[in-house]
Amino acid sequence: GAIVLAPTRGAQRGALGVAAPEHDIVVVDPDSGVECPRAEFDEHGRLINATAAIGEIVRRDPNVRFEGYYRNDAAAADRMRNGWYWSGDLAYRDADGVFYFAGRHTDWIRVDAENFAAAPVERILGRHPDVAAVAVYGVADPVTGDQVMAALELRPGATFDPTRFERFLAEQRDLGTKWAPTFVRIVERLPTTGPDKVDRKPLRAEAWATSDPVWWKPARDADYRLLTDADRAALRARFAEHGRADFAP
Protein backbone atom coordinates (compact mmCIF):
# COMPACT_ATOMS: atom_id res chain seq x y z
CA GLY A 1 0.00 0.00 0.00
CA ALA A 2 0.93 3.68 -0.10
CA ILE A 3 1.44 3.80 3.68
CA VAL A 4 4.37 1.73 4.96
CA LEU A 5 5.53 2.00 8.56
CA ALA A 6 8.56 0.23 9.98
CA PRO A 7 8.34 -1.50 13.39
CA THR A 8 10.36 0.08 16.17
CA ARG A 9 11.71 -1.37 19.39
CA GLY A 10 10.66 -0.17 22.79
CA ALA A 11 7.38 1.38 21.63
CA GLN A 12 4.20 1.15 23.67
CA ARG A 13 1.46 -1.34 22.96
CA GLY A 14 -0.53 -0.52 19.84
CA ALA A 15 2.39 1.05 17.99
CA LEU A 16 2.26 0.88 14.20
CA GLY A 17 5.87 1.94 13.70
CA VAL A 18 7.72 4.87 12.17
CA ALA A 19 7.74 6.31 8.65
CA ALA A 20 10.75 5.94 6.41
CA PRO A 21 12.62 9.28 6.17
CA GLU A 22 12.01 9.50 2.41
CA HIS A 23 8.23 9.41 2.90
CA ASP A 24 6.25 12.39 4.15
CA ILE A 25 3.74 10.49 6.29
CA VAL A 26 1.92 12.49 8.96
CA VAL A 27 -1.25 12.62 11.04
CA VAL A 28 -3.65 15.27 9.75
CA ASP A 29 -6.88 16.85 10.96
CA PRO A 30 -9.30 15.76 8.18
CA ASP A 31 -11.37 18.93 8.47
CA SER A 32 -8.56 21.49 8.28
CA GLY A 33 -5.81 19.51 6.55
CA VAL A 34 -3.39 20.75 9.22
CA GLU A 35 -0.90 18.35 10.77
CA CYS A 36 -1.94 17.30 14.28
CA PRO A 37 0.29 18.07 17.28
CA ARG A 38 2.32 15.21 18.75
CA ALA A 39 0.74 13.06 21.44
CA GLU A 40 1.25 13.93 25.10
CA PHE A 41 1.08 11.40 27.94
CA ASP A 42 0.67 11.60 31.70
CA GLU A 43 2.86 9.82 34.24
CA HIS A 44 0.84 6.63 33.73
CA GLY A 45 1.35 6.64 29.95
CA ARG A 46 -2.21 7.75 29.23
CA LEU A 47 -2.84 9.97 26.23
CA ILE A 48 -3.96 13.37 27.52
CA ASN A 49 -4.48 15.34 24.29
CA ALA A 50 -6.39 12.80 22.21
CA THR A 51 -8.83 15.32 20.72
CA ALA A 52 -5.96 17.38 19.27
CA ALA A 53 -3.48 14.59 18.51
CA ILE A 54 -5.67 12.05 16.72
CA GLY A 55 -6.23 12.46 13.01
CA GLU A 56 -5.98 10.49 9.77
CA ILE A 57 -2.69 9.05 8.51
CA VAL A 58 -1.82 10.83 5.27
CA ARG A 59 1.09 10.51 2.85
CA ARG A 60 1.94 13.87 1.32
CA ASP A 61 5.11 13.31 -0.72
CA PRO A 62 4.84 13.65 -4.50
CA ASN A 63 5.98 10.05 -5.14
CA VAL A 64 2.80 8.51 -3.79
CA ARG A 65 1.03 6.14 -6.18
CA PHE A 66 -2.44 4.69 -5.81
CA GLU A 67 -3.96 2.48 -8.51
CA GLY A 68 -7.51 3.05 -7.29
CA TYR A 69 -10.44 0.70 -6.80
CA TYR A 70 -11.95 -1.43 -9.55
CA ARG A 71 -15.11 0.28 -10.84
CA ASN A 72 -15.27 2.60 -7.83
CA ASP A 73 -14.00 6.00 -8.88
CA ALA A 74 -15.67 7.74 -5.94
CA ALA A 75 -13.78 5.60 -3.41
CA ALA A 76 -10.52 6.19 -5.28
CA ALA A 77 -11.11 9.94 -5.30
CA ASP A 78 -11.73 9.82 -1.55
CA ARG A 79 -8.31 8.20 -1.07
CA MET A 80 -6.44 10.70 -3.28
CA ARG A 81 -7.38 14.25 -2.32
CA ASN A 82 -5.33 17.38 -2.98
CA GLY A 83 -2.51 15.18 -4.24
CA TRP A 84 -2.27 13.38 -0.87
CA TYR A 85 -3.06 9.76 -0.07
CA TRP A 86 -5.58 9.49 2.79
CA SER A 87 -5.27 6.06 4.43
CA GLY A 88 -8.62 5.94 6.24
CA ASP A 89 -6.75 4.98 9.43
CA LEU A 90 -6.89 7.18 12.52
CA ALA A 91 -3.74 7.49 14.59
CA TYR A 92 -1.62 9.70 16.79
CA ARG A 93 2.17 10.15 16.76
CA ASP A 94 4.49 10.55 19.74
CA ALA A 95 7.54 12.81 20.08
CA ASP A 96 9.78 10.08 18.59
CA GLY A 97 7.64 9.83 15.46
CA VAL A 98 6.02 6.50 16.38
CA PHE A 99 2.48 6.09 15.04
CA TYR A 100 -0.26 4.49 17.17
CA PHE A 101 -3.51 3.14 15.74
CA ALA A 102 -6.72 4.86 16.93
CA GLY A 103 -9.36 3.28 14.68
CA ARG A 104 -10.80 3.72 11.21
CA HIS A 105 -12.18 7.00 9.83
CA THR A 106 -15.67 5.47 10.15
CA ASP A 107 -15.04 5.41 13.92
CA TRP A 108 -15.09 9.22 14.14
CA ILE A 109 -17.78 10.54 16.46
CA ARG A 110 -18.95 14.15 16.13
CA VAL A 111 -20.52 15.77 19.20
CA ASP A 112 -21.21 19.52 19.35
CA ALA A 113 -18.98 20.08 16.28
CA GLU A 114 -16.07 18.27 17.95
CA ASN A 115 -14.61 15.20 16.22
CA PHE A 116 -12.97 12.44 18.22
CA ALA A 117 -12.11 8.78 17.75
CA ALA A 118 -13.87 5.91 19.46
CA ALA A 119 -10.71 3.98 20.37
CA PRO A 120 -9.51 6.23 23.25
CA VAL A 121 -12.99 6.15 24.78
CA GLU A 122 -13.00 2.35 24.52
CA ARG A 123 -9.64 2.12 26.26
CA ILE A 124 -10.93 4.25 29.13
CA LEU A 125 -14.19 2.32 29.57
CA GLY A 126 -12.21 -0.91 29.38
CA ARG A 127 -10.54 0.01 32.70
CA HIS A 128 -13.80 -0.47 34.55
CA PRO A 129 -13.41 -3.59 36.72
CA ASP A 130 -16.77 -5.03 35.62
CA VAL A 131 -16.15 -4.62 31.87
CA ALA A 132 -14.83 -7.59 29.89
CA ALA A 133 -15.13 -5.96 26.43
CA VAL A 134 -16.43 -2.69 25.05
CA ALA A 135 -17.42 -1.09 21.75
CA VAL A 136 -17.94 2.66 21.39
CA TYR A 137 -19.66 4.22 18.38
CA GLY A 138 -21.66 7.23 17.33
CA VAL A 139 -25.44 7.18 16.97
CA ALA A 140 -27.44 10.00 15.49
CA ASP A 141 -28.43 12.96 17.65
CA PRO A 142 -32.04 14.11 17.13
CA VAL A 143 -30.87 17.64 16.25
CA THR A 144 -27.37 17.39 14.72
CA GLY A 145 -24.25 15.28 14.76
CA ASP A 146 -23.86 12.26 17.00
CA GLN A 147 -24.30 11.00 20.50
CA VAL A 148 -21.87 8.57 22.11
CA MET A 149 -23.08 5.03 22.67
CA ALA A 150 -21.18 2.21 24.36
CA ALA A 151 -21.94 -1.51 24.29
CA LEU A 152 -20.53 -3.30 27.32
CA GLU A 153 -19.92 -7.00 27.73
CA LEU A 154 -19.63 -7.56 31.47
CA ARG A 155 -17.44 -10.02 33.33
CA PRO A 156 -19.15 -13.21 34.58
CA GLY A 157 -21.29 -12.47 37.60
CA ALA A 158 -21.12 -8.68 37.20
CA THR A 159 -24.16 -6.43 36.86
CA PHE A 160 -24.28 -2.87 35.59
CA ASP A 161 -24.42 -0.33 38.42
CA PRO A 162 -25.23 3.11 36.93
CA THR A 163 -24.11 5.00 40.04
CA ARG A 164 -20.78 3.20 40.15
CA PHE A 165 -20.35 3.71 36.40
CA GLU A 166 -21.00 7.46 36.74
CA ARG A 167 -18.47 7.66 39.58
CA PHE A 168 -15.94 5.76 37.47
CA LEU A 169 -16.35 8.21 34.57
CA ALA A 170 -15.79 11.18 36.89
CA GLU A 171 -12.50 9.66 38.07
CA GLN A 172 -11.02 9.29 34.58
CA ARG A 173 -8.86 12.36 34.11
CA ASP A 174 -8.24 11.64 30.43
CA LEU A 175 -11.92 11.34 29.53
CA GLY A 176 -12.79 14.17 27.14
CA THR A 177 -15.62 16.49 28.05
CA LYS A 178 -17.79 15.15 25.17
CA TRP A 179 -16.83 11.48 25.55
CA ALA A 180 -19.15 10.17 28.29
CA PRO A 181 -21.71 7.81 26.71
CA THR A 182 -25.27 9.07 26.39
CA PHE A 183 -26.38 5.46 25.90
CA VAL A 184 -24.93 2.32 27.51
CA ARG A 185 -26.09 -1.01 26.08
CA ILE A 186 -25.46 -4.17 28.09
CA VAL A 187 -24.85 -7.15 25.79
CA GLU A 188 -24.35 -10.82 26.53
CA ARG A 189 -21.60 -10.90 23.91
CA LEU A 190 -20.29 -8.30 21.46
CA PRO A 191 -20.66 -9.19 17.75
CA THR A 192 -17.38 -9.99 16.02
CA THR A 193 -16.07 -10.39 12.48
CA GLY A 194 -13.12 -12.51 13.55
CA PRO A 195 -10.90 -13.28 16.53
CA ASP A 196 -10.97 -10.27 18.88
CA LYS A 197 -12.37 -7.99 16.15
CA VAL A 198 -15.59 -6.30 17.23
CA ASP A 199 -18.19 -5.63 14.52
CA ARG A 200 -19.67 -2.21 15.23
CA LYS A 201 -21.92 -2.15 12.15
CA PRO A 202 -24.91 -3.98 13.65
CA LEU A 203 -24.48 -2.13 16.94
CA ARG A 204 -24.47 1.22 15.14
CA ALA A 205 -27.46 0.24 12.99
CA GLU A 206 -29.57 -0.92 15.95
CA ALA A 207 -28.46 1.97 18.17
CA TRP A 208 -30.94 2.11 21.06
CA ALA A 209 -33.66 0.15 19.19
CA THR A 210 -32.77 -3.16 20.83
CA SER A 211 -34.23 -5.59 23.33
CA ASP A 212 -30.97 -5.47 25.31
CA PRO A 213 -31.00 -3.27 28.42
CA VAL A 214 -30.00 0.29 27.49
CA TRP A 215 -29.16 2.91 30.09
CA TRP A 216 -29.24 6.55 29.02
CA LYS A 217 -28.77 10.10 30.18
CA PRO A 218 -31.70 12.27 29.01
CA ALA A 219 -29.50 15.31 29.68
CA ARG A 220 -25.80 15.80 30.27
CA ASP A 221 -26.32 16.54 33.97
CA ALA A 222 -28.91 13.74 34.47
CA ASP A 223 -28.36 10.33 36.02
CA TYR A 224 -28.36 7.16 33.94
CA ARG A 225 -31.72 5.38 33.85
CA LEU A 226 -33.16 2.48 31.88
CA LEU A 227 -34.51 3.41 28.48
CA THR A 228 -38.19 2.50 28.12
CA ASP A 229 -40.43 2.02 25.09
CA ALA A 230 -42.03 5.37 25.90
CA ASP A 231 -38.57 6.97 25.85
CA ARG A 232 -37.87 5.43 22.44
CA ALA A 233 -41.13 6.80 21.08
CA ALA A 234 -40.31 10.25 22.46
CA LEU A 235 -36.83 10.12 20.89
CA ARG A 236 -38.28 9.20 17.49
CA ALA A 237 -40.76 12.06 17.77
CA ARG A 238 -37.89 14.44 18.49
CA PHE A 239 -36.03 13.22 15.39
CA ALA A 240 -39.16 13.87 13.31
CA GLU A 241 -39.60 17.31 14.87
CA HIS A 242 -36.13 18.30 13.61
CA GLY A 243 -36.54 16.74 10.17
CA ARG A 244 -34.21 13.82 10.95
CA ALA A 245 -36.70 10.95 11.11
CA ASP A 246 -34.56 8.96 8.65
CA PHE A 247 -31.68 9.04 11.15
CA ALA A 248 -33.69 7.37 13.94
CA PRO A 249 -33.22 3.60 14.34
Side-chain angles (χ1 to χ4, degrees), residues 59-125:
R59 182 171 169 184
R60 304 184 300 188
D61 56 279
N63 308 338
V64 64
R65 294 288 184 270
F66 177 59
E67 295 180 359
Y69 295 108
Y70 180 64
R71 292 184 176 179
N72 196 337
D73 293 340
D78 189 56
R79 280 284 178 265
M80 290 298 300
R81 306 195 303 274
N82 301 325
W84 298 353
Y85 176 81
W86 297 74
S87 69
D89 288 328
L90 303 179
Y92 53 91
R93 188 162 54 146
D94 67 16
D96 296 322
V98 180
F99 290 79
Y100 293 84
F101 184 68
R104 293 287 297 165
H105 73 283
T106 52
D107 296 332
W108 274 125
I109 301 173
R110 188 174 183 83
V111 177
D112 295 339
E114 178 182 306
N115 285 334
F116 53 91
V121 189
E122 290 178 340
R123 284 195 287 270
I124 292 171
L125 299 187

Side-chain angles (χ1 to χ4, degrees), residues 149 183-185 210 212-216 225-227 232:
M149 186 162 186
F183 299 95
V184 179
R185 175 179 178 177
T210 171
D212 288 333
V214 175
W215 295 80
W216 78 307
R225 63 177 176 83
L226 274 174
L227 188 72
R232 291 183 178 90

Side-chain angles (χ1 to χ4, degrees), residues 136-168:
V136 171
Y137 42 98
V139 296
D141 180 272
V143 180
T144 184
D146 301 319
Q147 293 178 332
V148 181
M149 186 162 186
L152 305 182
E153 182 181 321
L154 302 180
R155 297 189 185 281
T159 56
F160 182 74
D161 183 331
T163 303
R164 186 181 182 196
F165 185 73
E166 189 85 56
R167 189 184 313 122
F168 164 83

Side-chain angles (χ1 to χ4, degrees), residues 142 183 208 216 218 225 227-242 248-249:
F183 299 95
W208 36 262
W216 78 307
R225 63 177 176 83
L227 188 72
T228 66
D229 287 341
D231 293 327
R232 291 183 178 90
L235 281 168
R236 291 192 177 98
R238 191 159 180 240
F239 273 92
E241 176 186 347
H242 292 278

Side-chain angles (χ1 to χ4, degrees), residues 38-55:
R38 299 297 176 98
E40 300 174 8
F41 305 90
D42 66 12
E43 65 273 19
H44 303 293
R46 296 173 178 174
L47 181 64
I48 59 175
N49 66 333
T51 299
I54 293 176

